[in-house]
Amino acid sequence: MQSAMVRLSMESQASRRSRLLVVEDEADLRKSLEYALKASGYEVRVADRGDSAFRVLGEFEPDLVLLDVMLPDISGLDICRQIHRMPLAKRAVVVILSARVEESDRVAGFEAGADDYMVKPSTSVS
């Protein structure tokens, strides 16, 4: 993600804060990311489903999209494929944020148009 963030900082307009969209259905993770990113000075919007992500993308021009793959209504990969066709989102850096760890999942993310792929932190219950 560091390379995506470097690209984000280089491409963002100097006259405004960088804009981020977090698309994540897990409420705790979504809220944690929103809090941390806002505290770091970013302008942040959040969505918990694909339909709400498309609504935000229609009115908000993000510099970076953090995108979960497994959403309740549409695959994050399908959203990723469509982002670069949307007028307000086509220049956004897209980072897949997923619990899926297989190499084939990473390849699918990049083939869908993602700029980077990060595995979500997880905790195991013993």
Side-chain angles (χ1 to χ4, degrees):
M1 182 158 146
Q2 186 175 9
S3 63
M5 293 303 283
V6 169
R7 184 172 144 207
L8 169 66
S9 66
M10 291 173 56
E11 291 182 355
S12 293
Q13 298 173 10
S15 63
R16 67 170 172 84
R17 295 185 298 163
S18 294
R19 297 173 162 197
L20 281 65
L21 170 59
V22 177
V23 184
E24 172 59 59
D25 63 325
E26 293 178 31
D28 290 341
L29 180 56
R30 184 178 61 252
K31 290 175 186 175
S32 294
L33 286 168
E34 180 181 22
Y35 175 80
L37 293 167
K38 282 183 176 180
S40 295
Y42 296 103
E43 183 178 347
V44 180
R45 299 285 193 283
V46 295
D48 62 352
R49 304 171 51 88
D51 60 353
S52 57
F54 285 123
R55 204 169 23 261
V56 172
L57 287 165
E59 61 192 37
F60 178 72
E61 185 176 357
D63 298 301
L64 175 74
V65 178
L66 293 176
L67 180 60
D68 185 13
V69 171
M70 296 182 289
L71 297 169
D73 58 342
I74 186 173
S75 165
L77 297 177
D78 290 334
I79 295 171
C80 188
R81 286 182 192 96
Q82 294 180 46
I83 282 177
H84 297 297
R85 294 186 211 137
M86 301 181 74
L88 291 178
K90 63 184 174 187
R91 294 177 43 112
V93 174
V94 179
V95 177
I96 298 288
L97 187 61
S98 179
R100 297 180 149 189
V101 299
E102 298 297 321
E103 185 66 25
S104 60
D105 297 315
R106 291 177 188 269
V107 169
F110 290 119
E111 287 177 346
D115 295 286
D116 209 345
Y117 188 105
M118 290 180 49
V119 176
K120 289 182 189 179
S122 63
T123 57
S124 59
V125 179
S126 304

